[in-house]
Amino acid sequence: MKITWYGTATIGIDDGKTKLLFDPFVRMNKRIETTPVEGFVGFDAVFVTHGHFDHIYSIPALAEVDKNVPIYCTATPKKTLMKRGVAEDRLKTIQPDDVLQIGEYTIRVHRFRHIVFDPIYILSVVPKCAVMLPRLFRQAYWNRQMPEGHEIVAFEIEAHGKKIFLTGSFREHPAQQYPEDIDLFILANGGSVFVPEKTKAFIERYHPKKIFVDHFDDAFPPLTRAVSVKRLRKTINKNHPEIEFIIPEICRAVEL
C-alpha cells in the first residue's frame, strides 16, 4: 500500500486497486505547495474524521468535480455538507463501532476526541492574527459554521495483512479500546506543542511499528503556524528507537 500526504490532515491510501481519501482540504496558504481540489479526483471513497473546516471545507468543490465519489462522515459534518450543497445521497452516515468493507480494506470507526489547544500555541499565532484581521474573521466564521459536534472519530484501516490507525486530531477517548499491533500510526500533529507528552501513553500502550506525522503545516494562517516535529521525533527515537518515524513530503507516496 502507498500512503500519500496532501497537506494538513489529507491522506490518500492506495493499494493498487482501490484508493481511499481522508479529510480532503485545499491549503489556504499561497506560500506553500498546495494540492488543488482536482488533485483529489479519482478516489473510490472519502472519509471524514470530524467536521472542522480544515477537514471538510473542500468537499463541496470535490463533489462537484468528482460526481461519483461517496463521502463517509458522522451526522454533524453530514448536516454541514448538505447545507453547503452536497447531495444527501452522496453522504454516507457513519458512527463509532461501524465496520465497512471497501475493496480489500476493512475500515473500523473508533471514538476519539479533539486535541486541546495549548496556551503556548495560541499565543504564538496572536501576532499573525493581529495583522490579518479580515482573514481571521473569515476563518472564525467558518469555524462557527462547521462545528465538530463532539463527533471525532479515528479510523482503523486493515488490508493486505497491514493495519493503519489514522487520526484527524489527537486525544484518546476514555471509553474506547484501540487496535494493537499497528503497522502505521498516522498522527495528526497540529494544535499543540505538547504532542510528545500527549501521545506518550498511546504509543507505549499500542506500540506502532511506524509513525507517520501530518497536520503540522501552516495550512490556513493566521490561525495556524508550522509546528515543529523535531522534539516529537527526538522523543520517539530516544524512548522507542525500534519505531520508524516518518515526516512525509507533500504529495510523495510512502510505501507501507
Side-chain angles (χ1 to χ4, degrees), residues 90-108:
R90 301 286 298 281
L91 299 165
K92 315 299 180 183
T93 308
I94 58 173
Q95 59 186 359
D97 301 322
D98 280 354
V99 180
L100 301 92
Q101 191 72 41
I102 299 178
E104 297 294 322
Y105 303 100
T106 301
I107 302 152
R108 295 178 175 86

Side-chain angles (χ1 to χ4, degrees), residues 4-207:
T4 303
W5 177 57
Y6 295 96
T8 321
T10 308
I11 294 290
I13 301 178
D14 182 359
D15 72 349
K17 294 181 180 179
T18 306
K19 296 169 63 178
L20 307 180
L21 183 66
F22 296 82
D23 291 344
F25 177 70
V26 176
R27 297 192 288 183
M28 300 174 177
N29 186 344
K30 295 180 180 179
R31 296 184 177 184
I32 58 177
E33 183 180 352
T34 297
T35 304
V37 71
E38 291 79 9
F40 302 144
V41 172
F43 286 84
D44 296 284
V46 170
F47 288 86
V48 174
T49 61
H50 62 282
H52 283 161
F53 85 87
D54 55 325
H55 296 256
I56 68 168
Y57 183 88
S58 301
I59 289 179
L62 174 58
E64 282 294 314
V65 296
D66 190 332
K67 302 293 185 181
N68 299 311
V69 65
I71 299 148
Y72 294 84
C73 58
T74 59
T76 295
K78 178 180 179 179
K79 183 178 179 180
T80 301
L81 290 168
M82 288 175 62
K83 286 181 178 179
R84 298 191 66 225
V86 180
E88 185 174 6
D89 62 0
R90 301 286 298 281
L91 299 165
K92 315 299 180 183
T93 308
I94 58 173
Q95 59 186 359
D97 301 322
D98 280 354
V99 180
L100 301 92
Q101 191 72 41
I102 299 178
E104 297 294 322
Y105 303 100
T106 301
I107 302 152
R108 295 178 175 86
V109 184
H110 294 276
R111 293 173 182 83
F112 223 60
R113 295 187 294 174
H114 200 279
I115 199 166
V116 176
F117 298 106
D118 65 77
I120 294 175
Y121 181 87
I122 294 170
L123 289 172
S124 72
V125 300
V126 167
K128 286 198 297 183
C129 289
V131 298
M132 301 175 74
L133 284 177
R135 187 177 291 185
L136 172 64
F137 293 147
R138 191 159 58 245
Q139 291 177 4
Y141 172 78
W142 291 336
N143 271 328
R144 289 183 61 85
Q145 294 299 308
M146 301 180 201
E148 42 94 349
H150 302 291
E151 296 172 10
I152 312 293
V153 297
F155 295 104
E156 177 187 350
I157 307 114
E158 192 168 3
H160 308 288
K162 299 290 186 179
K163 189 181 296 184
I164 300 168
F165 189 72
L166 180 148
T167 69
S169 184
F170 188 85
R171 191 175 170 214
E172 294 182 66
H173 193 288
Q176 182 72 59
Q177 180 74 17
Y178 300 109
E180 298 180 4
D181 300 319
I182 304 167
D183 292 287
L184 185 68
F185 173 26
I186 299 178
L187 169 61
N189 191 68
S192 176
V193 299
F194 297 113
V195 170
E197 290 77 16
K198 294 176 185 289
T199 59
K200 182 177 184 293
F202 182 93
I203 291 168
E204 292 182 349
R205 189 179 308 121
Y206 299 107
H207 204 69

